Amino acid sequence: MKQPDIKLIVTEHFASNPTPASYQELIAILRLPRKHKPFLKKALEELSAAGKLVYVKRRYSPPLPKKQHRTERVPPAPMLSSELIEGVFDATPLSRNFSYAFVRTEKGDFFVGSEDTLNAYHNDKVAIEPHFRNGKADYGRVRRIVTRANERMAGDLSFSSGKAIFICSNPKIHNWFEITDTNGAKEGEKVILQVSNWGSPLAGKMPGGKVVEVLGPSGDPQVELIAVIRQYDLPLSFCDEVMEEVNNLPDSIDAREVARREDLRDIFTFTIDPASAKDFDDAISIRKDSNGYTLWVHIADVAHYVKPETRTFDEAVKRGNSFYFPKKVIPMLPERLSNLICSLRPDEDKLCMTVITHFDPKGRTTAQKMVESVIRSNHRLSYEQVDELFETGKSDFSKDLKDALSWSRELSALLSAKRVAAGYIFFDLPEIEYEYDQEGFVRRLNLAEETESHKLIENFMLVANEYTAEKLSQLSPTSIYRVHENPDPRKLERLGESLSYYGLEYIISEDVNKSLQYLLNSMPNADYHKVFDRMVLRSLKKAKYTPEHLRHFGLGMENYTHFTSPIRRLCDLVVHLLCKTYVIKSSKLKLERKQIALYAEIASSQELLADEAERDIDRTYSLAFMKKHLNERFHGMVIGTNSSSLIVRLTEIPITAVLKTAMLPGGPWAYQDRAMRFVNTKTNYYYQLMDKLIVDIVDVSDDIYLELANIDSAHTHAQVLSPQPQTKIPKTSPGRSSGPRGRNRIDVMTPSPKSGRHSGKKRGSRR
């Protein structure tokens, strides 16, 4: 068989699609068989040497077009309609070489074809002309850019055909930018670009800007961290006015303030936090007698020091929450407040807001109240210390502390069972935990285990959060709620169809919580949970802050808010202010509904920003770590698919990588979307979810790319259940009814730190 002209194939591809592509991506796009891979490599090298392709950041593309001397006709601005609605532009699909994007609005998510995006970029606020179908959001056209998300961007400087170009570190910024002034920056350096023009796709005009700051060499951990901080425009310091205000706060508590509060300093109290934490914003006291249990949840009274008329409060509103990075925390409040004055450190008197709850011996609530208090913590414990006691029974703790932890363990188990009965949905999805060396490079990747001590603290914080939301719903005209709306029935229907191919049945009932609980409990083994818990989670909506009093679906609660972390979350600080006015009635402060709505909007948007920023730095560090393992062999399991790839979770290192179907032997491969399966159209051989693979890492660039190992045992089919028809959900669900065994990811649970991992950040900080 005659060898095809690979150079011609590549040239014709880029003539019709100039989007940059890596070697691995070209193999998949061009659907080249394994035997032609060496010829592709040679063709790309020859085309690059001849100047017909440029090679930048491990991607090939045509040379940049030369500037035209003629005046280009720019299409006139579209007429604006009074029916335009505003939303946030999501360029995730464009960044993955798809020809569309989305605009997220209050009326739903609108599909936008690439030809209708104007020059919008990821997270820009845009005005769209919306189109609906059956009253639901369908598609839209971007008619105006309302606000740019990033006037400055962090990224890498490279050269293409002698021209300086900028490649944003954020992969969702889907275009390259032409650099008009390098400011002395060199190839391979991380820089900050000030955008001067956003280009015009319709006129063929490339976006551009000038370098305003050189951060240092790409790949250096500290440089990469600063790049993310710059990219998201995060503040690295507090202004002089805020610092002066905080420095003027007294170190000691006024005796008159202590006298008017409930004095709880004689009650045995302790904190449980990550070993590296410095901001202790919650403490626990507990007693047990013949009537049951009494639980005190003490939360640092930040609102006593940070009031709406202060510059410190204004700064907290601006930041929205604390940001956690490797060996770096950008706090919502200055450290004198977060780590000293408000932190519930042992053997120091502290002001708190305390929720006191009485339970009967079966864990049922009999009475609750909230008070302003003064406490004195007796012990500062880490999760690891508590877990060691629970697992081994061995510890040098005092009898008082052992008794308190034993009672806490008993009550937590009762609360877990109670929450399961109410519809609390648990997911078995441990997150990746990073350990760093002294230079900031990733040293090891582990799966973060949620232990009994974490569940204990989570259960107790839920008690305080639920009570607070219930009282504010009764007493305050407006509040901030943490809500999680019911899932879209259409998504659940599609989920059920996909699950059926793997022997799982989603049984629709009036109680959706019970339906999902039963589904999760019916999964037979860990492999099923690794794949399908994630799929179930993706079918649900995201939790958010809002003044609308809606239920929290994932927690199975009618009333829920965030009250327990005022040091690092704006919502909690505002909720404390409302509690002082309407629950405790120690304050006359009134907040208008529009103010509260604004605070809720800021809290939600800044939480999303924190998630995205933290994911970016984790992704950067993970790629740097995996470059050390290039060409090494690993075992893995297929945990997901898309139209051109298998998504594989490695076994030896808990990280996800991509195996393009073009790299699979045989073919052609047809993608069955609902079954999430690739089938050989000639032989009916298939690859599907949960299949076990042996793979080689062949490229680490914008992602981690794999190739199936060239051995007989490289692919093993998963053992899939046969469908088991059900007509109704049993009254008692099997498996995990005794309590949680995984983290509840609906409300964005987060891992505890180890060796610098998000120092000071608690697991469950975004429940």
Side-chain angles (χ1 to χ4, degrees):
M1 183 176 177
K2 185 178 179 182
Q3 179 192 326
D5 188 339
I6 304 294
K7 289 169 67 174
L8 178 61
I9 293 173
V10 171
T11 303
E12 289 178 346
H13 163 71
F14 280 118
S16 60
N17 183 5
T19 304
S22 68
Y23 168 66
Q24 294 296 329
E25 290 168 334
L26 285 170
I27 291 175
I29 292 168
L30 302 177
R31 305 196 70 82
L32 295 176
R34 181 188 292 261
K35 63 183 179 180
H36 289 153
K37 285 171 52 182
F39 301 111
L40 173 63
K41 195 87 169 177
K42 182 179 180 182
L44 291 172
E45 291 173 355
E46 291 177 355
L47 288 170
S48 298
K52 295 180 179 180
L53 289 179
V54 293
Y55 183 58
V56 178
K57 205 176 179 183
R58 305 183 72 89
R59 289 191 170 198
Y60 296 90
S61 66
L64 293 174
K66 294 181 179 179
K67 290 185 177 179
Q68 302 294 320
H69 295 290
R70 62 181 176 83
T71 301
E72 295 178 337
R73 182 176 179 274
V74 179
M79 295 293 291
L80 299 182
S81 165
S82 60
E83 297 180 356
L84 297 185
I85 62 174
E86 292 186 359
V88 176
F89 189 77
D90 184 348
T92 303
L94 289 174
S95 69
R96 295 174 179 170
N97 293 330
F98 294 110
S99 59
Y100 60 89
F102 290 99
V103 174
R104 316 289 184 188
T105 77
E106 292 182 353
K107 296 184 178 181
D109 297 344
F110 290 84
F111 174 95
V112 181
S114 58
E115 69 278 7
D116 294 320
T117 61
L118 289 185
N119 57 1
Y121 284 85
H122 189 64
N123 279 342
D124 286 352
K125 182 180 282 189
V126 299
I128 66 168
E129 176 189 308
H131 294 265
F132 299 85
R133 176 180 295 178
N134 299 325
K136 301 280 188 179
D138 188 13
Y139 71 94
R141 294 184 175 93
V142 177
R143 295 304 190 192
R144 177 165 55 93
I145 311 299
V146 178
T147 308
R148 292 290 181 185
N150 299 288
E151 296 284 352
R152 291 190 175 196
M153 301 180 184
D156 297 287
L157 183 146
S158 294
F159 286 88
S160 171
S161 299
K163 297 180 184 296
I165 62 170
F166 170 84
I167 305 166
C168 188
S169 296
N170 183 352
K172 294 184 180 181
I173 301 299
H174 59 284
N175 285 333
W176 292 353
F177 287 69
E178 187 174 11
I179 298 178
T180 57
D181 181 359
T182 64
N183 195 21
K186 301 174 183 177
E187 176 98 19
E189 287 190 313
K190 191 75 71 174
V191 300
I192 301 297
L193 184 82
Q194 175 71 53
V195 181
S196 57
N197 79 82
W198 294 95
S200 173
L202 294 178
K205 184 179 180 182
M206 189 177 184
K210 63 178 182 179
V211 173
V212 294
E213 186 178 1
V214 181
L215 301 179
S218 297
D220 180 274
Q222 292 307 309
V223 172
E224 296 292 348
L225 175 57
I226 292 298
V228 170
I229 291 172
R230 290 278 200 276
Q231 174 68 42
Y232 291 95
D233 196 24
L234 304 180
L236 283 171
S237 61
F238 293 90
C239 67
D240 292 341
E241 292 86 349
V242 170
M243 293 307 300
E244 181 180 3
E245 196 172 75
V246 170
N247 288 334
N248 286 333
L249 292 172
D251 292 321
S252 58
I253 302 172
D254 188 277
R256 290 170 296 179
E257 185 64 30
V258 173
R260 76 169 193 84
R261 290 176 176 252
E262 189 153 338
D263 193 339
L264 303 177
R265 287 176 291 184
D266 290 337
I267 297 178
F268 188 83
T269 300
F270 57 92
T271 62
I272 304 177
D273 291 273
S276 58
K278 297 179 181 178
D279 53 341
F280 314 134
D281 49 14
D282 58 84
I284 300 300
S285 303
I286 189 169
R287 287 179 180 170
K288 181 184 179 183
D289 57 28
S290 59
N291 295 319
Y293 305 87
T294 302
L295 173 69
W296 292 261
V297 176
H298 312 286
I299 307 300
D301 190 356
V302 179
H304 175 77
Y305 301 97
V306 183
K307 298 179 171 61
E309 65 270 15
T310 63
R311 286 297 305 274
T312 309
F313 182 84
D314 292 342
E315 185 66 20
V317 170
K318 177 182 175 182
R319 298 183 180 217
N321 49 235
S322 297
F323 293 79
Y324 296 87
F325 300 107
K327 298 188 176 182
K328 180 70 177 179
V329 177
I330 300 178
M332 185 178 79
L333 300 172
E335 287 189 5
R336 187 163 188 267
L337 272 170
S338 61
N339 294 356
L340 182 63
I341 294 176
C342 293
S343 184
L344 307 184
R345 307 194 304 179
D347 303 318
E348 296 180 8
D349 291 353
K350 297 293 179 179
L351 301 182
C352 285
M353 302 275 280
T354 299
V355 174
I356 307 171
T357 308
H358 297 277
F359 300 92
D360 69 13
K362 294 185 177 181
R364 294 174 296 203
T365 302
T366 58
Q368 282 183 294
K369 69 175 181 178
M370 180 186 294
V371 299
E372 290 178 312
S373 63
V374 57
I375 72 161
R376 189 177 183 87
S377 175
N378 300 92
H379 290 280
R380 178 261 196 268
L381 305 176
S382 69
Y383 289 121
E384 291 80 6
Q385 288 176 302
V386 177
D387 287 323
E388 183 178 0
L389 172 65
F390 288 169
E391 291 168 10
T392 68
K394 299 177 181 178
S395 171
D396 58 358
F397 292 161
S398 66
K399 182 180 184 303
D400 286 343
L401 183 53
K402 287 182 179 179
D403 286 344
L405 290 172
S406 176
W407 300 332
S408 297
R409 190 181 192 185
E410 293 172 8
L411 179 58
S412 177
L414 293 171
L415 293 175
S416 289
K418 179 181 174 182
R419 301 206 182 285
V420 170
Y424 195 166
I425 300 172
F426 297 97
F427 289 97
D428 196 1
L429 290 172
E431 287 189 347
I432 295 177
E433 186 175 69
Y434 300 79
E435 293 185 21
Y436 302 94
D437 61 22
Q438 293 301 313
E439 286 71 41
F441 289 94
V442 177
R443 179 176 60 191
R444 187 179 297 111
L445 302 180
N446 305 303
L447 286 178
E449 293 293 332
E450 185 181 50
T451 63
E452 195 171 356
S453 65
H454 293 99
K455 296 170 191 173
L456 182 154
I457 292 299
E458 178 181 349
N459 279 328
F460 292 172
M461 296 306 108
L462 288 174
V463 169
N465 286 336
E466 184 178 22
Y467 170 76
T468 302
E470 181 180 3
K471 295 304 291 183
L472 288 176
S473 72
Q474 297 168 355
L475 302 174
S476 176
T478 310
S479 181
I480 298 181
Y481 298 96
R482 180 68 168 179
V483 307
H484 183 233
E485 297 176 83
N486 289 343
D488 185 337
R490 293 175 299 178
K491 287 190 176 182
L492 292 182
E493 184 178 347
R494 181 184 174 107
L495 169 69
E497 185 177 345
S498 294
L499 293 173
S500 68
Y501 290 98
Y502 295 88
L504 295 173
E505 187 174 12
Y506 172 65
I507 307 166
I508 300 174
S509 72
E510 292 183 4
D511 190 332
V512 181
N513 290 72
K514 293 295 184 183
S515 296
L516 290 177
Q517 278 186 332
Y518 184 76
L519 169 64
L520 292 168
N521 288 335
S522 69
M523 294 183 190
N525 55 48
D527 285 352
Y528 266 83
H529 282 291
K530 289 175 184 176
V531 174
F532 296 108
D533 279 32
R534 196 176 308 275
M535 191 183 299
V536 174
L537 179 59
R538 283 199 299 266
S539 70
L540 306 182
K541 297 180 180 179
K542 284 185 67 69
K544 64 181 180 180
Y545 298 107
T546 175
E548 302 298 323
H549 187 193
L550 304 173
R551 76 187 294 259
H552 196 296
F553 170 79
L555 299 179
M557 293 182 180
E558 298 301 319
N559 302 288
Y560 193 66
T561 190
H562 276 166
F563 166 80
T564 55
S565 295
I567 287 177
R568 55 178 184 249
R569 286 192 305 225
L570 174 63
C571 169
D572 306 54
L573 177 55
V574 173
V575 164
H576 276 228
L577 293 169
L578 294 173
C579 286
K580 286 176 177 288
T581 301
Y582 297 104
V583 180
I584 299 173
K585 296 181 170 56
S586 63
S587 169
K588 295 182 179 180
L589 173 71
K590 303 287 185 181
L591 294 176
E592 299 292 334
R593 180 180 174 86
K594 63 180 182 181
Q595 289 177 284
I596 294 174
L598 175 63
Y599 298 149
E601 181 182 353
I602 291 171
S604 290
S605 62
Q606 289 299 98
E607 178 185 55
L608 293 175
L609 185 71
D611 288 341
E612 195 168 344
E614 291 165 18
R615 278 196 302 268
D616 273 7
I617 195 62
D618 285 348
R619 172 182 170 275
T620 299
Y621 281 24
S622 295
L623 291 175
F625 176 76
M626 292 308 294
K627 285 179 180 177
K628 304 173 186 176
H629 298 280
L630 196 62
N631 300 319
E632 291 184 15
R633 181 161 291 178
F634 294 90
H635 294 80
M637 182 175 72
V638 179
I639 65 167
T641 62
N642 57 40
S643 59
S644 63
S645 308
L646 300 171
I647 311 303
V648 180
R649 170 58 67 91
L650 303 184
T651 302
E652 294 85 353
I653 300 176
I655 206 161
T656 301
V658 177
L659 175 56
K660 296 284 187 181
T661 52
M663 303 290 286
L664 296 175
W669 298 97
Y671 183 51
Q672 297 178 350
D673 180 53
R674 295 301 172 93
M676 304 183 75
R677 176 189 295 143
F678 286 95
V679 178
N680 188 309
T681 56
K682 296 178 180 178
T683 65
N684 287 329
Y685 192 77
Y686 62 90
Y687 290 82
Q688 66 177 11
L689 299 178
M690 295 191 297
D691 281 1
K692 301 295 177 64
L693 307 175
I694 300 176
V695 293
D696 298 324
I697 297 180
V698 293
D699 184 32
V700 180
S701 50
D702 59 320
D703 212 327
I704 302 162
Y705 294 98
L706 308 172
E707 183 176 39
L708 197 67
N710 189 21
I711 57 176
D712 291 338
S713 59
H715 177 217
T716 305
H717 286 303
Q719 296 296 315
V720 176
L721 290 175
S722 298
Q724 297 293 324
Q726 299 278 351
T727 57
K728 62 180 181 179
I729 298 175
K731 291 182 179 179
T732 302
S733 296
R736 291 180 286 173
S737 57
S738 61
R741 56 176 255 179
R743 284 193 290 286
N744 172 17
R745 292 291 180 211
I746 293 170
D747 221 342
V748 199
M749 301 290 288
T750 49
S752 58
K754 263 192 181 180
S755 303
R757 164 65 168 168
H758 297 351
S759 176
K761 186 175 185 179
K762 293 186 182 181
R763 186 188 306 274
S765 65
R766 297 199 183 119
R767 276 182 293 264

